[in-house]
Amino acid sequence: MDVVQITEVDRIRLADVQFVNRVKGAPSGPTRVLETPVDMLRVIPSDANIIHEVNGWPASFWLPVGSGQVLFTTVGPDAWMRPR
């Protein structure tokens, strides 16, 4: 049985967000000021493939579970939406 190990550090509210793509080592776009602040759960995952960070904390990451992988996100969904 696989055990997913994610240590929760704290929760914060973000009024602006800039995702950094860890694979490319660069921001994924400009800093966005949000109309309504979003929650972010700051965590330390073990054995994770971190894809995005916000303020140096994992924002999205893959963890192996069983014979597959699960995508975790730690920032509220409104932060991921991009205006047209």
Side-chain angles (χ1 to χ4, degrees):
M1 175 179 198
D2 289 336
V3 176
V4 175
Q5 293 184 342
I6 302 172
T7 303
E8 180 178 338
V9 176
D10 61 8
R11 291 177 185 264
I12 60 170
R13 303 273 292 161
L14 299 172
D16 56 82
V17 176
Q18 182 174 45
F19 290 99
V20 174
N21 184 318
R22 285 267 306 255
V23 176
K24 295 180 181 178
S28 294
T31 299
R32 292 190 35 235
V33 177
L34 303 169
E35 192 172 307
T36 304
V38 295
D39 290 325
M40 178 177 189
L41 179 63
R42 296 195 294 191
V43 300
I44 301 170
S46 64
D47 299 323
N49 179 14
I50 298 171
I51 306 300
H52 294 97
E53 290 181 341
V54 171
N55 300 333
W57 290 91
S60 69
F61 54 91
W62 291 98
L63 277 177
V65 177
S67 60
Q69 293 190 31
V70 176
L71 176 66
F72 289 84
T73 61
T74 62
V75 181
D78 288 345
W80 295 97
M81 305 293 180
R82 291 186 180 174
R84 289 182 176 215

